[in-house]
Every structure is written in structure tokens, then in C-alpha cells.
Amino acid sequence: MQHAIGVDIGGTKVAIAIVDEAGNILTESVIPTDLSIPAIKMVGKINNEIEQVIKRTGIPMEQLIGIGIGAPGPLDSKNGIITSPPNLSGWIDVPITQIVEQHFSIPVSLENDANAAAMAERLIGAAQENDNFAYITVSTGIGAGIVAEGKLLRGLKGNAGDIGHTVVDPSFGKCTCGQYGCLEWIASGTAIARQGSAIIGKDISTKDVFNLYFNGNKEIIRLIEKVFRVLGVACVSVINTFDTEKIVIGGGVSKVGDPLFQSIQAYVSEFALNETGRQTEIVPAKLEQSSGVIGAAALCFAR
């Protein structure tokens, strides 16, 4: 059986795992993302941890088909460069693929983390039977991985699917990107906490907002209903644009469960443009905790 290494780089931690072609994790390690040191040194720490993970499994290097890396965008996946992610401060134009390939002498692939998660859901998750689907993460930010006719849509630099900065409703005000009314500014976990805090009059978390929602706070209920509707609008736009058969939703906000999925499904059933679009399934992700490393490894199997 073939094996690959998956590396999931985040703003606070890096997960590294050896994964077989069935999507099983043989061993996994997590190290903190140290943003106080130069990015090149942090990549060196990642290389060292990859070595330790390989040693623990005892798998010979010749049995590893490659290393897949999932990282937040913007990035240049075709040239293997992490360009300027907001939550990896100081990581500017880091040629991570080149550095890792030189260290291990095996092929290395780089993709946006949402794309990697989409690949994981297709390999062993909620979209195993689907050639046309979108994986949408609703967490600190909002992003998507799009699979069409069985192929991941990457775009020019590998940043396709950045739906978080699609303008949905300018009345919600100015997004951090400079536009008005971006999806991420309205419906991300960060946005929910910000708007909930404004309603309550003190800083509260996204989890606190949803607790108030379930406890019947009327103002919070109105806020969350708007958020669900906006996410429904986003899903309809994805369905109309890419003719999907399924949308898989992950990320921290998806943990709210049935109220979110039922609301989006109802919106899609009413407003998607054509009959097949209105029948698009809206389902939760299956691989929340491990989708990053499994998806990163899956990039090697797909290649």
C-alpha cells in the first residue's frame, strides 16, 4: 500500500501525519506554529518533525510517494510559494515546496487548506461518491474547495474558492479587505462574535452567541437567522456557478448543527436556479479534526 505525508499548517499549530491511500492515519504529530521566528526556521522545524514521524512508523522513504502541504492563502500552489497569509504574519513569499523537496528528495505539493480539506472529504469523508461538490469551511474565516468533474479547481495561483470575500450585502459595512458586505464579514465565526458582542454590549465568543441563540435571546435569534440566510445565499451562488450535487460544510460554526443545515437546505430548495440545483444536498463534514492532514496527503495520491 502507498503512503504519503500530510502537513497542515495553521496560525497556531502544524499537524503532520503519515497517511495510507485509504485515508488512514498511521501516526500524527502536532507542533506549535512559532511566529516569533523567521518563516524559514519554522519550515526547518517542520522538516525535523516530519523526520521524527517517519522514524516512528519505520516506513522506508522509498515507500513514501510524496509530501502534501495544506496552508492558508493567499499562496502560489503552482510554484510552491506561501505568499502572504494574514494569519501567518511574516510568511512572505516562502518557497516552502522547494525547501522541503531539497530536504527529503521526494515530490512535494502545496494547496490552499480548504482545497486540501475538500480532497479529504472526497477520499474518505462526506463526498466519496461525488464528482461535483464544494467543501465550505465556516470558521475564523470562510473559504471553499471546489471539485468539478472529479478535479479540484485551483485557478491561476491555487486560490480559487475564496468565497469569503464575495460581496453579499453591503449594508453590513466595510470588511477587512476593503469591500463592503463580504460573506466573511457577515457570517464567519469571527463576524458572529463581533456582531453578538455589539448586541450584548460586551465581548463574547461565537460559542456564547450560539448559547444565547439556543436560550431564546430574541436579538441574537434575529442575528443568527440573518447569518443562516446569508450562508444560504452563498451556497446558492456556489450551486448556480458550479452546478454542484452536494455542498459539504465544515468549520467551527457548522457545530451548531441542525438549525444551520436545515436553514441552508430550505433556502437552497427554494432559490437555486434549476431543479437539480434545488436538490443539492447540504451535509456536515465528516473529518473535522483530521481533514487537513488527510487532505494534504490526498494531494499526493491524486497527483
Side-chain angles (χ1 to χ4, degrees):
M1 180 174 284
Q2 292 182 320
H3 300 85
I5 297 169
V7 179
D8 181 26
I9 300 175
T12 59
K13 61 185 175 65
V14 179
I16 299 162
I18 292 185
V19 181
D20 67 24
E21 57 190 318
N24 300 307
I25 294 177
L26 277 66
T27 187
E28 185 175 8
S29 178
V30 177
I31 61 174
T33 304
D34 189 348
L35 298 178
S36 69
I37 62 175
I40 300 299
K41 286 189 176 181
M42 187 61 217
V43 175
K45 286 189 173 186
I46 292 170
N47 284 340
N48 292 338
E49 194 63 25
I50 291 172
E51 288 180 348
Q52 295 305 311
V53 168
I54 294 171
K55 286 178 182 177
R56 284 205 297 272
T57 61
I59 294 176
M61 286 296 297
E62 56 267 23
Q63 291 185 18
L64 295 171
I65 65 169
I67 298 172
I69 301 172
L75 47 74
D76 181 346
S77 64
K78 294 181 181 178
N79 292 305
I81 300 171
I82 296 177
T83 55
S84 57
N87 60 348
L88 289 176
S89 59
W91 287 52
I92 308 298
D93 295 332
V94 180
I96 190 167
T97 295
Q98 178 186 347
I99 297 169
V100 177
E101 277 185 348
Q102 286 176 348
H103 191 92
F104 291 99
S105 298
I106 58 175
V108 178
S109 299
L110 173 69
E111 284 292 350
N112 179 284
D113 48 8
N115 286 348
M119 295 300 292
E121 293 294 335
R122 187 157 196 264
L123 180 65
I124 59 169
Q128 294 178 61
E129 300 176 354
N130 305 109
D131 283 339
N132 296 278
F133 76 95
Y135 168 85
I136 298 176
T137 179
V138 187
S139 189
T140 303
I142 296 178
I146 311 293
V147 174
E149 297 183 356
K151 296 180 180 180
L152 184 66
L153 293 183
R154 293 179 169 88
L156 178 65
K157 297 281 189 177
N159 296 303
D162 195 355
I163 64 171
H165 295 284
T166 301
V167 173
V168 176
D169 186 345
S171 70
F172 277 84
K174 189 176 183 179
C175 177
T176 54
C177 76
Q179 296 193 102
Y180 285 78
C182 288
L183 173 63
E184 188 171 297
W185 182 250
I186 302 168
S188 66
T190 307
I192 291 168
R194 186 192 72 248
Q195 294 170 94
S197 296
I199 290 170
I200 300 302
K202 64 178 181 179
D203 286 341
I204 59 175
S205 67
T206 309
K207 184 178 179 181
D208 293 333
V209 175
F210 279 114
N211 286 338
L212 290 167
Y213 167 76
F214 285 116
N215 287 327
N217 183 292
K218 291 183 179 180
E219 286 186 275
I220 295 295
I221 287 173
R222 285 194 290 271
L223 166 65
I224 297 303
E225 286 177 348
K226 287 179 182 179
V227 167
F228 288 170
R229 182 177 178 84
V230 164
L231 290 171
V233 170
C235 287
V236 165
S237 295
V238 169
I239 292 165
N240 290 348
T241 303
F242 297 103
D243 199 17
T244 56
E245 56 191 321
K246 181 180 284 184
I247 291 182
V248 180
I249 301 179
V253 173
S254 70
K255 296 293 187 278
V256 70
D258 287 345
L260 169 70
F261 288 93
Q262 290 171 1
S263 176
I264 294 176
Q265 188 74 70
Y267 191 92
V268 165
S269 298
E270 182 174 358
F271 292 109
L273 190 59
N274 58 64
E275 181 60 31
T276 55
R278 291 190 289 274
Q279 294 173 6
T280 299
E281 294 180 83
I282 311 297
V283 303
K286 286 188 176 179
L287 303 171
E288 273 308 312
Q289 298 305 314
S290 302
S291 63
V293 289
I294 294 173
L299 300 172
C300 302
F301 301 127
R303 183 184 61 228

